[in-house]
Amino acid sequence: MRIRLTAMFALAGALWAAPPPMTRASAHRGDSKAAPENTLPAIESAVRKGAHQIEFDVKFTSDRALVLMHDVTVDRTTDGRGRVAGLTFAQIRTLDAGSWFSSGFAGTRVPTLQEALKAIPQGILCNIHLSDTPGLAGAVTRVLAESGRVEDAVLACTPAQAAEARSVAPSIRFCNMAGPRTDVDAYVEATLKAKAGFIQLRSGLDGVASAVERLHQGGVKVNYFSAQDDVSIRRLIDAKVDYILTDDLDLLLDILAEKGVEPFTTRK
């Protein structure tokens, strides 16, 4: 009888257990704690570990190639100097984008958008952060369309850039990066008005949980930039943020696994 009651209690506990949270992991500039940001090693590491979203930055070179780079210049993350927009793709391709991080990544090259997409399996959301450059949104969207990856992508950009992108692929999603981003209420209103599919809330804002609830009611998903520690991550999970952008992917995935969220795996 005791065994039977124990089994019944265990079953009841399982039935009443809280469902896994909706929050998922976004690798900020790839797995940037384990490999140099915005490079194929960082992206490949994020894929292996099971990130649900991978965020990376795209810019034009002077000859309008699409490369991964966050900064306006190549100075911080390569052994070269100069503005990304002032260098040709051939010039940028000769640069070492790994030695600044560690000697183990010496010789790592600045990747193209096409190379990044090939390294990311379908089903992982590509969060593509665009600089506010005329023509960039359209060019990126054309690559996504040609690669069959429009449904796997969200463009972090302005509403004007989203309109440019949608002239190429009407179904492309965008994350609103324009408006009064330090005023959460006004930013939420601007995002709902723009009919964006996503918003990127920023660390340091008050009232995150109520903002998330309002955004979800309006059909908007929430990317949150960023969280690197246990307390912040748990607070954002409780607030029902959709994706947490982090540089510490291992920590975020461990906390999510503890709460029943599995890492992304490629389904065959």
Side-chain angles (χ1 to χ4, degrees):
M1 176 64 74
R2 176 174 293 180
I3 295 174
R4 189 177 300 167
L5 286 173
T6 301
M8 289 175 62
F9 284 131
L11 177 60
L15 291 172
W16 285 98
M22 65 189 300
T23 304
R24 297 294 182 266
S26 176
H28 180 233
R29 304 179 194 169
D31 188 9
S32 54
K33 187 175 181 179
E37 66 180 60
N38 279 320
T39 64
L40 292 183
I43 288 171
E44 290 162 353
S45 179
V47 170
R48 285 194 302 272
K49 291 178 180 179
H52 307 94
Q53 179 190 103
I54 299 176
E55 188 267 356
F56 54 89
D57 306 270
V58 175
K59 285 184 169 55
F60 272 140
T61 63
S62 65
D63 48 354
R64 295 179 75 82
L66 297 168
V67 296
L68 271 59
M69 185 73 60
H70 174 268
D71 297 359
V72 173
T73 73
V74 300
D75 299 16
R76 180 176 63 86
T77 58
T78 78
D79 62 348
R81 297 189 65 80
R83 291 172 58 86
V84 179
L87 298 170
T88 66
F89 174 64
Q91 289 173 316
I92 286 179
R93 196 65 153 181
T94 66
L95 302 179
D96 181 342
S99 291
W100 69 272
F101 186 87
S102 78
S103 60
F105 292 99
T108 298
R109 300 303 172 198
V110 175
T112 64
L113 172 60
Q114 292 90 332
E115 289 169 337
L117 293 174
K118 287 180 180 177
I120 301 173
Q122 289 188 332
I124 295 177
L125 186 61
C126 301
N127 179 355
I128 306 174
H129 189 179
L130 305 180
S131 58
D132 194 2
T133 304
L136 181 61
V140 167
T141 306
R142 278 189 287 276
V143 171
L144 291 170
E146 291 165 2
S147 305
R149 304 303 296 274
V150 169
E151 300 308 313
D152 288 325
V154 56
L155 303 182
C157 63
T158 67
Q161 287 178 298
E164 178 186 306
R166 285 174 172 167
S167 70
V168 177
S171 65
I172 191 75
R173 293 174 289 180
F174 87 100
C175 175
N176 183 33
M177 300 290 283
R181 296 179 64 199
T182 56
D183 182 336
V184 67
D185 290 331
Y187 187 27
V188 167
E189 279 298 325
T191 301
L192 292 171
K193 184 177 180 180
K195 300 187 184 304
F198 284 75
I199 189 174
Q200 183 171 294
L201 296 181
R202 302 175 65 178
S203 57
L205 294 176
D206 295 324
V208 171
S210 59
V212 170
E213 182 178 5
R214 188 173 169 203
L215 287 158
H216 284 170
Q217 289 172 351
V220 179
K221 292 187 176 182
V222 179
N223 289 330
Y224 190 94
F225 177 78
S226 64
Q228 321 297 340
D229 64 273
D230 187 282
V231 172
S232 298
I233 289 169
R234 292 180 187 278
R235 178 175 66 86
L236 294 171
I237 292 171
D238 289 342
K240 297 183 172 62
V241 165
D242 294 277
Y243 293 95
I244 298 173
L245 279 67
T246 188
D247 298 326
D248 196 338
L249 182 61
D250 293 325
L251 175 62
L252 177 52
L253 287 172
D254 284 347
I255 294 173
L256 288 174
E258 170 196 316
K259 294 179 174 292
V261 177
E262 296 183 358
F264 178 88
T265 55
T266 302
R267 304 284 191 249
K268 294 185 178 180

